[in-house]
């Protein structure tokens, strides 16, 4: 029996009753009005009860009723809807809580930031390491984490990079911090404790520097005596060549130590310190004449398109060794009769130094590892050309100090192109943008 | 920041200007903190390169101060702030002045460290300077935190810390005097040490000044040159200003 049917039978019963009473006592209109009024009052009472029941925040059981009418039906349906939404809400709340407790327990610092870098949530590690307190919610993160490196990082907005912060007074804890944009304009700040790695890095660096330094002294003594010996035994049939070979190897070792020391010095430098306006065109002039003497007429060495008005903000000595390394590499890996050319120009986002050669080229799989120390594409070949295997490492470090990038593209057998791209804020134009196109190579 | 002070202006621009000077004062504070930390490290390790860097970086602190000072003046002229806003601008102006001087003291430490790097190191490897310096750094950090959070209570507790710094400073002075009397050859080194600990002690005083400005900013009461009790009363006053 449907609830609608129950309600209708009850109405019909009421009206029939009213008709009977009206017929007996001859007060038909009043009886009908009375019956309708009773019916209406009952419905209103039900509606009132229903609204009161809805007022309860918790979804209670509907009031028990045996009657099978439309009101019971409504109660049941609403009750089910409320139960369902309550269960869903509970599930979401559980999920959120589980997520927050797990994020809070993470050993890494996690801070959720709004678009204006104000803190909206942070975990326990953030409280411990960065000294954040519950009352700091809504405070801007850079007001509390005030390390200049971090502020520069936020201002630069290069969030695919990380920033290393050394926290004083906490046993020199070192954090590697990164900001990750998500959900439009929200940010997640994540920091990892890298004290251990940092310390090992320092130890390795110190070790290389100390070891190279210690090696240099005995080597100098060695080289000195060798020179004396060569003077005396130069014409000796078996000793002469042996001593010359020894001297060559000693000077190579000396160069190696020099390069190692230079790398460890470069590693400790921070970008932006000791920067000056460097006259790159004049610098290139010097490097090119040196390269020509290195090539000794075996290669065509041009400088096409050197922008004479284009200077760079940087460290002259380091730039010199980086550019000289690139050019001497090009000469060493280009067979006689090949061509090496250098250019120095303005680009859209700054300026670039390019070295192109027609040398043996580099197979693709080696390019990404080329700047590692002592990485050799062909171990057999490299010792014959000389070189220490540290040249490109030096280039990489110098470019890091100048916020520049190194791009390498190469086709084996045809040649290579090394591009150093410097950012706009280091580019200095000296007005006279004469472009010189000289072809002075032999 | 506007939320922290619990008020907004009809002009959103004004709000953001006030917030901006507050932020930038803290950015400057961060730079100064770094300068002291670096100077101290340079002194303790005898690192000449680091000393030079600190001395070279001082102009950045000065440049920030000049810029910020100009912007504060501009706000005063254009917006003619009143009450809390006026106090904020005044506090920023005074704070950056003290921060700039702290920066100068940091370069003093670095310069002394340059001299000290040349002479023989004492047996204790400057441990007492390191301890005093770390305390001063911590004090400055707490000061700037109190300024960031506009927390008068924290500012009050920092001012109490200053007494500890003064005591340690006196201890080092006494120690150096004894050393000089024992062996006059160490006078040169001792004088350099005294100069640098003096600079550190001055930094503590400047930090204390900033704390007083913070109490002034939050509570609206001038607590400079008053007794500690009066200061505590002002800082812990619960009525809103």
């Amino acid at each position: 029996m449907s609830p609608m049917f129950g309600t209708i039978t009850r109405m019909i019963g009421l009206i029939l009753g009213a008709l009977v009473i009206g017929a007996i006592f001859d007060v038909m209109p009043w009886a009908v009005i009375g019956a309708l009024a009773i019916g209406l009052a009952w419905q209103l009472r039900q509606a009132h009860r229903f609204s009161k029941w809805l007022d309860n925040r918790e979804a209670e059981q509907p009031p028990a009723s045996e009657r099978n009418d439309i009101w019971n039906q409504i109660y049941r349906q609403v009750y089910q809807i409320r139960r369902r939404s309550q269960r869903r809400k509970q599930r979401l709340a559980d999920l959120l809580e589980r997520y927050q407790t797990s994020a809070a327990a993470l050993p890494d610092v996690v801070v959720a930031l709004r678009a204006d870098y104000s803190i909206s949530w942070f975990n326990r590690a953030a409280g411990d390491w960065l000294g954040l307190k519950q009352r700091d919610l809504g405070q801007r993160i850079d007001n509390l984490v005030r390390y200049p490196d971090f502020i520069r990082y936020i201002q630069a907005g290069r969030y695919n990079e990380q920033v290393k912060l050394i926290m004083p007074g906490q046993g020199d804890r070192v954090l590697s911090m990164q900001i990750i944009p998500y959900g439009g304009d929200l940010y997640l700040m994540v920091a990892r404790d890298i004290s251990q790695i940092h310390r090992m890095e320092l130890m390795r660096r110190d070790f290389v520097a100390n070891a190279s330094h210690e090696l240099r002294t005995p080597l100098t003594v060695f080289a000195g005596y060798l020179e004396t010996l060569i003077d005396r035994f130069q014409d000796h049939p078996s000793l002469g060549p042996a001593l010359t070979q020894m001297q060559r190897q000693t000077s190579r070792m000396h160069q190696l130590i020099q390069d190692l020391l230079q790398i460890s010095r470069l590693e400790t430098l921070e970008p932006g310190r000791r920067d000056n306006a460097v006259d790159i065109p004049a610098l290139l002039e010097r490097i090119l004449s040196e390269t020509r003497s290195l090539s000794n007429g075996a290669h065509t060495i041009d400088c096409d398109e050197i922008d004479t008005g284009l200077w760079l903000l940087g460290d002259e000595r380091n730039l010199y060794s980086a550019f000289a390394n690139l050019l001497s590499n090009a000469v060493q890996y280009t067979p006689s009769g090949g061509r090496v050319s250098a250019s120095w120009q303005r680009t859209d986002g700054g300026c670039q130094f390019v070295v192109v050669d027609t040398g043996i080229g580099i197979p693709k799989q080696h390019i990404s590892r080329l700047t590692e120390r002592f990485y050799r594409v062909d171990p057999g070949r490299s010792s014959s050309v000389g070189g220490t295997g540290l040249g490109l490492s030096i280039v990489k470090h110098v470019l890091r100090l100048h916020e520049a990038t190194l791009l390498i593209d190469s086709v084996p057998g045809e040649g290579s192109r090394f591009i150093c791209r410097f950012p706009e804020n280091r580019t200095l134009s000296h007005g006279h943008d004469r472009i010189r196109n000289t072809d002075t190579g032999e | 920041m506007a939320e922290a002070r619990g008020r907004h202006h009809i002009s959103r621009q004004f709000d953001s200007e006030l917030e901006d000077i507050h932020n930038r004062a803290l950015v400057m504070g961060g730079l100064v903190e770094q300068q002291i930390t670096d100077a101290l490290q340079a002194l303790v390790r005898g690192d000449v390169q680091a000393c030079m860097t600190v001395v070279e970086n001082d102009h950045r602190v000065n440049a920030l101060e000049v810029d910020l000072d100009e912007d504060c003046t501009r706000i005063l002229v254009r917006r003619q702030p009143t009450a809390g806003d006026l106090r904020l601008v005044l506090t920023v102006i005074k704070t950056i002045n003290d921060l700039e001087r702290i920066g100068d003291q940091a370069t003093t430490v670095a310069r002394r460290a340059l001299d000290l790097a040349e002479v023989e190191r004492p047996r204790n490897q400057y441990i007492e300077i390191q301890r005093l310096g770390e305390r001063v750094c911590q004090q400055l950090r707490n000061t700037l935190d109190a300024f960031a959070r506009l927390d008068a209570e924290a500012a009050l507790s920092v001012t109490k810390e200053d007494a500890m710094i003064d005591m340690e400073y006196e201890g080092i002075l006494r120690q150096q005097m004894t050393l000089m009397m024992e062996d006059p050859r160490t006078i040169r080194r001792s004088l350099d040490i005294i100069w640098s600990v003096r600079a550190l002690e001055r930094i503590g005083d400047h930090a204390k000044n900033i704390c007083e400005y913070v109490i002034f900013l939050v509570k609206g009461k001038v607590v400079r040159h008053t007794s500690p009790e009066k200061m505590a009363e002002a800082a812990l006053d619960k009525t809103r200003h």
Side-chain angles (χ1 to χ4, degrees), chain A residues 84-122:
Chain A
R84 227 176 297 148
S85 83
Q86 204 175 29
R87 268 202 297 267
R88 199 177 309 134
K89 222 157 53 187
Q90 187 62 43
R91 227 178 11 243
L92 278 176
D94 284 352
L95 206 68
L96 194 70
E97 198 187 309
R98 211 158 38 196
Y99 163 72
Q100 288 210 335
T101 43
S102 58
L106 273 181
D108 294 348
V109 169
V110 183
V111 182
L113 303 173
R114 298 193 195 93
D116 60 346
Y117 300 112
S118 61
I119 302 168
S120 66
W121 181 85
F122 61 86

Short mmCIF file of all heavy atoms in Angstrom, two decimals, chain A residues 84-122:
data_model
loop_
_atom_site.label_atom_id
_atom_site.label_comp_id
_atom_site.label_asym_id
_atom_site.label_seq_id
_atom_site.Cartn_x
_atom_site.Cartn_y
_atom_site.Cartn_z
N ARG A 84 23.76 9.86 4.88
CA ARG A 84 24.77 9.67 3.85
C ARG A 84 25.78 10.83 3.85
O ARG A 84 26.98 10.62 3.82
CB ARG A 84 24.08 9.58 2.47
CG ARG A 84 24.61 8.41 1.66
CD ARG A 84 23.86 8.29 0.35
NE ARG A 84 22.46 8.01 0.55
CZ ARG A 84 21.47 8.44 -0.26
NH1 ARG A 84 21.76 9.20 -1.30
NH2 ARG A 84 20.21 8.13 -0.02
N SER A 85 25.26 12.05 3.92
CA SER A 85 26.19 13.19 3.86
C SER A 85 27.05 13.22 5.11
O SER A 85 28.22 13.60 5.06
CB SER A 85 25.43 14.50 3.67
OG SER A 85 24.98 14.97 4.91
N GLN A 86 26.46 12.79 6.23
CA GLN A 86 27.26 12.79 7.46
C GLN A 86 28.40 11.79 7.37
O GLN A 86 29.53 12.09 7.75
CB GLN A 86 26.36 12.42 8.63
CG GLN A 86 26.88 12.93 9.94
CD GLN A 86 25.91 12.66 11.04
OE1 GLN A 86 25.15 11.68 10.98
NE2 GLN A 86 25.91 13.50 12.04
N ARG A 87 28.08 10.64 6.80
CA ARG A 87 29.13 9.63 6.65
C ARG A 87 30.24 10.15 5.74
O ARG A 87 31.42 9.97 6.00
CB ARG A 87 28.54 8.33 6.08
CG ARG A 87 28.12 7.36 7.16
CD ARG A 87 28.07 5.96 6.62
NE ARG A 87 27.08 5.85 5.56
CZ ARG A 87 25.80 5.47 5.76
NH1 ARG A 87 25.39 5.17 6.96
NH2 ARG A 87 24.97 5.39 4.76
N ARG A 88 29.82 10.85 4.66
CA ARG A 88 30.82 11.36 3.72
C ARG A 88 31.71 12.39 4.41
O ARG A 88 32.92 12.42 4.27
CB ARG A 88 30.12 11.99 2.52
CG ARG A 88 31.05 12.12 1.32
CD ARG A 88 30.33 12.68 0.12
NE ARG A 88 29.10 11.98 -0.19
CZ ARG A 88 27.93 12.60 -0.49
NH1 ARG A 88 27.86 13.91 -0.50
NH2 ARG A 88 26.86 11.90 -0.76
N LYS A 89 31.06 13.26 5.19
CA LYS A 89 31.80 14.31 5.89
C LYS A 89 32.81 13.69 6.85
O LYS A 89 33.96 14.10 6.93
CB LYS A 89 30.83 15.20 6.66
CG LYS A 89 31.19 16.65 6.53
CD LYS A 89 30.10 17.64 6.76
CE LYS A 89 29.32 17.55 8.02
NZ LYS A 89 28.18 18.46 8.08
N GLN A 90 32.36 12.66 7.54
CA GLN A 90 33.23 12.00 8.51
C GLN A 90 34.44 11.40 7.79
O GLN A 90 35.58 11.52 8.26
CB GLN A 90 32.43 10.89 9.22
CG GLN A 90 33.20 10.25 10.37
CD GLN A 90 33.51 11.28 11.44
OE1 GLN A 90 32.65 12.09 11.79
NE2 GLN A 90 34.73 11.29 11.93
N ARG A 91 34.13 10.79 6.63
CA ARG A 91 35.22 10.15 5.89
C ARG A 91 36.26 11.20 5.46
O ARG A 91 37.46 11.00 5.59
CB ARG A 91 34.67 9.43 4.67
CG ARG A 91 35.23 8.04 4.56
CD ARG A 91 34.73 7.21 3.41
NE ARG A 91 33.96 7.85 2.41
CZ ARG A 91 32.68 7.56 2.12
NH1 ARG A 91 32.03 6.66 2.84
NH2 ARG A 91 32.06 8.17 1.14
N LEU A 92 35.74 12.35 4.97
CA LEU A 92 36.65 13.42 4.54
C LEU A 92 37.47 13.94 5.71
O LEU A 92 38.67 14.17 5.60
CB LEU A 92 35.86 14.57 3.92
CG LEU A 92 35.48 14.37 2.47
CD1 LEU A 92 34.61 15.52 1.99
CD2 LEU A 92 36.73 14.27 1.62
N ALA A 93 36.78 14.12 6.85
CA ALA A 93 37.48 14.64 8.03
C ALA A 93 38.56 13.66 8.45
O ALA A 93 39.69 14.06 8.78
CB ALA A 93 36.50 14.87 9.17
N ASP A 94 38.25 12.36 8.42
CA ASP A 94 39.25 11.35 8.78
C ASP A 94 40.45 11.43 7.86
O ASP A 94 41.60 11.40 8.29
CB ASP A 94 38.64 9.95 8.68
CG ASP A 94 37.74 9.67 9.86
OD1 ASP A 94 37.73 10.50 10.79
OD2 ASP A 94 37.04 8.65 9.83
N LEU A 95 40.13 11.55 6.55
CA LEU A 95 41.19 11.59 5.55
C LEU A 95 42.10 12.79 5.78
O LEU A 95 43.32 12.69 5.77
CB LEU A 95 40.54 11.69 4.17
CG LEU A 95 41.35 11.17 3.01
CD1 LEU A 95 41.46 9.66 3.12
CD2 LEU A 95 40.68 11.55 1.70
N LEU A 96 41.44 13.94 6.02
CA LEU A 96 42.20 15.18 6.23
C LEU A 96 43.08 15.05 7.46
O LEU A 96 44.25 15.43 7.46
CB LEU A 96 41.23 16.34 6.39
CG LEU A 96 41.85 17.72 6.27
CD1 LEU A 96 42.27 17.94 4.84
CD2 LEU A 96 40.86 18.79 6.71
N GLU A 97 42.50 14.48 8.50
CA GLU A 97 43.26 14.37 9.73
C GLU A 97 44.45 13.44 9.55
O GLU A 97 45.56 13.71 9.98
CB GLU A 97 42.36 13.88 10.86
CG GLU A 97 42.96 14.17 12.22
CD GLU A 97 42.18 13.54 13.32
OE1 GLU A 97 40.95 13.73 13.33
OE2 GLU A 97 42.78 12.83 14.15
N ARG A 98 44.16 12.31 8.84
CA ARG A 98 45.22 11.35 8.60
C ARG A 98 46.33 12.03 7.80
O ARG A 98 47.51 11.89 8.08
CB ARG A 98 44.68 10.16 7.83
CG ARG A 98 45.40 8.90 8.17
CD ARG A 98 44.59 7.69 7.86
NE ARG A 98 43.84 7.89 6.63
CZ ARG A 98 42.82 7.14 6.25
NH1 ARG A 98 42.41 6.16 7.00
NH2 ARG A 98 42.18 7.38 5.15
N TYR A 99 45.93 12.82 6.80
CA TYR A 99 46.92 13.50 5.96
C TYR A 99 47.73 14.48 6.81
O TYR A 99 48.95 14.52 6.73
CB TYR A 99 46.22 14.25 4.83
CG TYR A 99 47.12 15.26 4.20
CD1 TYR A 99 48.17 14.86 3.39
CD2 TYR A 99 46.96 16.63 4.46
CE1 TYR A 99 49.03 15.78 2.85
CE2 TYR A 99 47.82 17.55 3.92
CZ TYR A 99 48.85 17.11 3.12
OH TYR A 99 49.71 18.03 2.61
N GLN A 100 46.99 15.25 7.65
CA GLN A 100 47.71 16.27 8.42
C GLN A 100 48.63 15.65 9.46
O GLN A 100 49.73 16.14 9.67
CB GLN A 100 46.71 17.21 9.10
CG GLN A 100 46.05 18.12 8.09
CD GLN A 100 45.68 19.45 8.68
OE1 GLN A 100 45.47 19.55 9.88
NE2 GLN A 100 45.59 20.47 7.86
N THR A 101 48.17 14.55 10.10
CA THR A 101 49.06 13.95 11.09
C THR A 101 50.27 13.36 10.41
O THR A 101 51.38 13.45 10.93
CB THR A 101 48.36 12.86 11.92
OG1 THR A 101 47.57 12.07 11.04
CG2 THR A 101 47.53 13.44 13.03
N SER A 102 50.08 12.78 9.21
CA SER A 102 51.26 12.20 8.56
C SER A 102 52.20 13.29 8.09
O SER A 102 53.42 13.16 8.21
CB SER A 102 50.86 11.29 7.40
OG SER A 102 50.11 12.02 6.48
N ALA A 103 51.65 14.40 7.57
CA ALA A 103 52.51 15.50 7.13
C ALA A 103 53.21 16.13 8.32
O ALA A 103 54.36 16.54 8.25
CB ALA A 103 51.71 16.55 6.38
N ALA A 104 52.48 16.18 9.46
CA ALA A 104 53.08 16.78 10.65
C ALA A 104 54.24 15.93 11.16
O ALA A 104 55.19 16.44 11.72
CB ALA A 104 52.03 16.95 11.74
N ALA A 105 54.14 14.62 10.93
CA ALA A 105 55.17 13.73 11.45
C ALA A 105 56.35 13.59 10.50
O ALA A 105 57.34 12.96 10.84
CB ALA A 105 54.57 12.37 11.72
N LEU A 106 56.24 14.19 9.30
CA LEU A 106 57.35 14.08 8.35
C LEU A 106 58.63 14.64 8.95
O LEU A 106 58.58 15.64 9.65
CB LEU A 106 57.03 14.89 7.09
CG LEU A 106 56.25 14.24 5.98
CD1 LEU A 106 56.09 15.23 4.85
CD2 LEU A 106 56.97 13.01 5.49
N PRO A 107 59.75 13.99 8.68
CA PRO A 107 60.99 14.54 9.23
C PRO A 107 61.42 15.82 8.52
O PRO A 107 62.24 16.56 9.03
CB PRO A 107 62.00 13.43 8.98
CG PRO A 107 61.44 12.64 7.87
CD PRO A 107 59.96 12.74 7.96
N ASP A 108 60.88 16.08 7.34
CA ASP A 108 61.25 17.27 6.60
C ASP A 108 60.31 18.42 6.93
O ASP A 108 59.19 18.20 7.34
CB ASP A 108 61.17 17.02 5.09
CG ASP A 108 62.20 16.00 4.65
OD1 ASP A 108 63.09 15.71 5.47
OD2 ASP A 108 62.10 15.52 3.53
N VAL A 109 60.81 19.63 6.72
CA VAL A 109 59.99 20.81 6.96
C VAL A 109 58.96 20.95 5.84
O VAL A 109 59.32 20.87 4.67
CB VAL A 109 60.88 22.07 7.00
CG1 VAL A 109 60.03 23.32 6.97
CG2 VAL A 109 61.76 22.06 8.22
N VAL A 110 57.69 21.10 6.22
CA VAL A 110 56.67 21.38 5.22
C VAL A 110 55.88 22.59 5.69
O VAL A 110 55.37 22.60 6.81
CB VAL A 110 55.71 20.19 5.03
CG1 VAL A 110 54.70 20.50 3.94
CG2 VAL A 110 56.47 18.93 4.72
N VAL A 111 55.81 23.62 4.87
CA VAL A 111 55.03 24.80 5.21
C VAL A 111 54.14 25.12 4.01
O VAL A 111 54.63 25.20 2.89
CB VAL A 111 55.92 26.02 5.52
CG1 VAL A 111 55.08 27.20 5.92
CG2 VAL A 111 56.92 25.70 6.60
N ALA A 112 52.83 25.26 4.26
CA ALA A 112 51.93 25.63 3.17
C ALA A 112 51.79 27.14 3.19
O ALA A 112 51.57 27.74 4.24
CB ALA A 112 50.59 24.97 3.36
N LEU A 113 51.96 27.76 2.02
CA LEU A 113 51.91 29.22 1.93
C LEU A 113 50.79 29.65 1.00
O LEU A 113 50.46 28.96 0.05
CB LEU A 113 53.24 29.75 1.37
CG LEU A 113 54.50 29.38 2.14
CD1 LEU A 113 55.72 29.83 1.36
CD2 LEU A 113 54.50 30.01 3.50
N ARG A 114 50.23 30.82 1.31
CA ARG A 114 49.24 31.41 0.40
C ARG A 114 49.97 32.22 -0.66
O ARG A 114 51.20 32.31 -0.67
CB ARG A 114 48.29 32.29 1.18
CG ARG A 114 47.50 31.53 2.21
CD ARG A 114 46.36 32.35 2.75
NE ARG A 114 45.86 31.71 3.96
CZ ARG A 114 46.28 32.02 5.18
NH1 ARG A 114 47.15 32.98 5.35
NH2 ARG A 114 45.83 31.38 6.23
N ALA A 115 49.16 32.88 -1.52
CA ALA A 115 49.74 33.59 -2.66
C ALA A 115 50.70 34.68 -2.21
O ALA A 115 51.69 34.97 -2.88
CB ALA A 115 48.63 34.19 -3.51
N ASP A 116 50.45 35.32 -1.07
CA ASP A 116 51.33 36.40 -0.61
C ASP A 116 52.40 35.88 0.34
O ASP A 116 52.95 36.65 1.13
CB ASP A 116 50.50 37.49 0.07
CG ASP A 116 49.76 36.96 1.28
OD1 ASP A 116 49.67 35.71 1.41
OD2 ASP A 116 49.26 37.75 2.09
N TYR A 117 52.68 34.57 0.28
CA TYR A 117 53.71 33.93 1.11
C TYR A 117 53.36 33.97 2.59
O TYR A 117 54.25 33.88 3.43
CB TYR A 117 55.09 34.57 0.90
CG TYR A 117 55.56 34.46 -0.51
CD1 TYR A 117 55.68 35.59 -1.30
CD2 TYR A 117 55.86 33.24 -1.06
CE1 TYR A 117 56.09 35.49 -2.62
CE2 TYR A 117 56.27 33.13 -2.36
CZ TYR A 117 56.39 34.26 -3.13
OH TYR A 117 56.80 34.16 -4.43
N SER A 118 52.09 34.15 2.92
CA SER A 118 51.75 34.04 4.33
C SER A 118 51.51 32.56 4.66
O SER A 118 51.07 31.79 3.82
CB SER A 118 50.52 34.89 4.66
OG SER A 118 49.43 34.42 3.92
N ILE A 119 51.82 32.22 5.90
CA ILE A 119 51.81 30.82 6.30
C ILE A 119 50.38 30.37 6.55
O ILE A 119 49.64 31.03 7.29
CB ILE A 119 52.63 30.64 7.59
CG1 ILE A 119 54.05 31.15 7.37
CG2 ILE A 119 52.62 29.21 8.05
CD1 ILE A 119 54.83 31.29 8.65
N SER A 120 49.95 29.28 5.93
CA SER A 120 48.61 28.80 6.25
C SER A 120 48.66 27.50 7.05
O SER A 120 47.70 27.14 7.70
CB SER A 120 47.79 28.62 4.98
OG SER A 120 48.33 27.60 4.18
N TRP A 121 49.76 26.80 7.00
CA TRP A 121 49.89 25.58 7.78
C TRP A 121 51.35 25.19 7.82
O TRP A 121 52.08 25.46 6.87
CB TRP A 121 49.06 24.46 7.15
CG TRP A 121 49.12 23.17 7.89
CD1 TRP A 121 48.34 22.82 8.95
CD2 TRP A 121 50.01 22.08 7.65
NE1 TRP A 121 48.70 21.58 9.40
CE2 TRP A 121 49.72 21.09 8.62
CE3 TRP A 121 51.02 21.84 6.74
CZ2 TRP A 121 50.40 19.90 8.69
CZ3 TRP A 121 51.71 20.63 6.80
CH2 TRP A 121 51.41 19.67 7.76
N PHE A 122 51.81 24.59 8.91
CA PHE A 122 53.18 24.07 8.90
C PHE A 122 53.25 22.85 9.79
O PHE A 122 52.39 22.63 10.65
CB PHE A 122 54.19 25.13 9.34
CG PHE A 122 53.98 25.66 10.72
CD1 PHE A 122 54.53 25.02 11.82
CD2 PHE A 122 53.22 26.81 10.92
CE1 PHE A 122 54.33 25.52 13.09
CE2 PHE A 122 53.02 27.31 12.20
CZ PHE A 122 53.57 26.65 13.28
#
